[in-house]
Amino acid sequence: MIPIRTVFTSEQVQQIRLHLDQADWQSGELTAGQQARSVKHNQQLPPDGAITQQVGDLILDALARHPVFISAALPQKILPPLFNRYSEGETYGLHVDNAIRVVPGTSIRLRTDLSATLFLSDPDEYEGGDLQIQDHFGSQRVKLAAGDMILYPSTSVHQVMPVTAGSRVCAVFWIQSMVRSHEQRSALFDLDQSVQSLTSLHGHEHQDVTRLSGVYQNLIRQWADA
């Protein structure tokens, strides 16, 4: 799991929320698959709604400029964001995201390598509502500041714990990466972060920076499906 900090500032989140809070929310069960319908109890904006598309474009534009997201995800395709709201008593029980999703209104298919949740409510706006993700190291709970995002493998079993007070608003979407393997993608991310750190200390022309940058690029050539 990789947190992507400050996709939006607090001021930008406030502007986004002005639009979302005035939108026409519907039952999340309407867009749930057969398996998820029994455990999905939340509210969702229509995928083809004007506000969904407008705010979704803002998110995709911001992510295209976010170096940590690009390094961590190595995105090939991104499903346009969906927007969920959880009020008191609402939850989304244990589930695994669908392996293949179709971009609404198109015939474009996307393999879900990575799942993303962008928090649009601050933790003090609601109680409960933690995103609980299970992995090889146990269960971890995530509750980030508004404007921050968590990126995690779509193979993970996860759930949104019941909200006991307030309202939790978030954007969710899925990414098909150029590098399908989680292990390879993780190694590339660690290598790229090391290159960036060395560059800040020694500059682009330092021999170690050049050598490691070459290793990174050659691994991308071997592993990426561009």
Side-chain angles (χ1 to χ4, degrees):
M1 291 188 295
I2 299 174
I4 310 295
R5 303 292 183 183
T6 320
V7 177
F8 293 111
T9 65
S10 58
E11 292 78 13
Q12 291 171 322
V13 171
Q14 289 177 6
Q15 292 299 315
I16 290 172
R17 286 291 301 277
L18 285 176
H19 295 288
L20 296 181
D21 291 347
Q22 297 173 7
D24 183 19
W25 293 84
Q26 62 184 21
S27 172
E29 296 180 19
L30 296 176
T31 57
Q34 183 175 359
Q35 181 181 6
R37 191 170 293 118
S38 63
V39 296
K40 185 177 183 182
H41 306 289
N42 63 4
Q43 304 157 59
Q44 189 167 296
L45 291 184
D48 58 352
I51 292 178
T52 299
Q53 296 176 7
Q54 291 169 8
V55 180
D57 287 344
L58 289 176
I59 293 172
L60 296 179
D61 289 343
L63 291 175
R65 301 188 301 270
H66 201 296
V68 178
F69 171 75
I70 299 298
S71 178
L74 296 171
Q76 185 180 61
K77 300 177 185 177
I78 304 178
L79 193 79
L82 301 173
F83 297 90
N84 290 335
R85 182 170 68 184
Y86 295 79
S87 298
E88 186 173 350
E90 294 184 317
T91 183
Y92 196 162
L94 286 171
H95 64 284
V96 176
D97 292 332
N98 291 340
I100 302 295
R101 298 187 70 99
V102 178
V103 177
T106 75
S107 60
I108 299 173
R109 286 182 169 83
L110 177 149
R111 184 187 66 242
T112 58
D113 297 320
L114 292 161
S115 300
T117 296
L118 172 63
F119 291 81
L120 296 172
S121 298
D122 275 316
D124 60 4
E125 294 183 54
Y126 60 99
E127 297 178 7
D130 299 54
L131 174 62
Q132 185 182 60
I133 304 171
Q134 299 180 5
D135 60 20
H136 297 298
F137 303 100
S139 177
Q140 301 186 53
R141 291 193 175 191
V142 181
K143 196 172 187 179
L144 302 181
D148 289 351
M149 186 177 84
I150 190 71
L151 193 66
Y152 60 97
S154 298
T155 53
S156 304
V157 177
H158 59 283
Q159 65 179 324
V160 177
M161 304 299 291
V163 170
T164 58
S167 183
R168 174 192 190 268
V169 179
C170 60
V172 296
F173 53 97
W174 294 268
I175 301 106
Q176 177 173 318
S177 176
M178 291 186 290
V179 176
R180 183 170 184 164
S181 164
H182 297 310
E183 292 79 10
Q184 291 174 348
R185 194 168 54 247
S186 177
L188 286 168
F189 176 70
D190 289 342
L191 180 56
D192 183 54
Q193 294 304 294
S194 296
V195 170
Q196 299 305 319
S197 179
L198 284 173
T199 300
S200 66
L201 290 173
H202 304 296
H204 290 281
E205 298 181 358
H206 191 277
Q207 61 180 1
D208 289 337
V209 172
T210 302
R211 183 183 300 112
L212 286 178
S213 295
V215 171
Y216 176 81
Q217 295 299 332
N218 288 331
L219 289 175
I220 288 284
R221 287 187 182 93
Q222 291 184 46
W223 295 342
D225 181 15

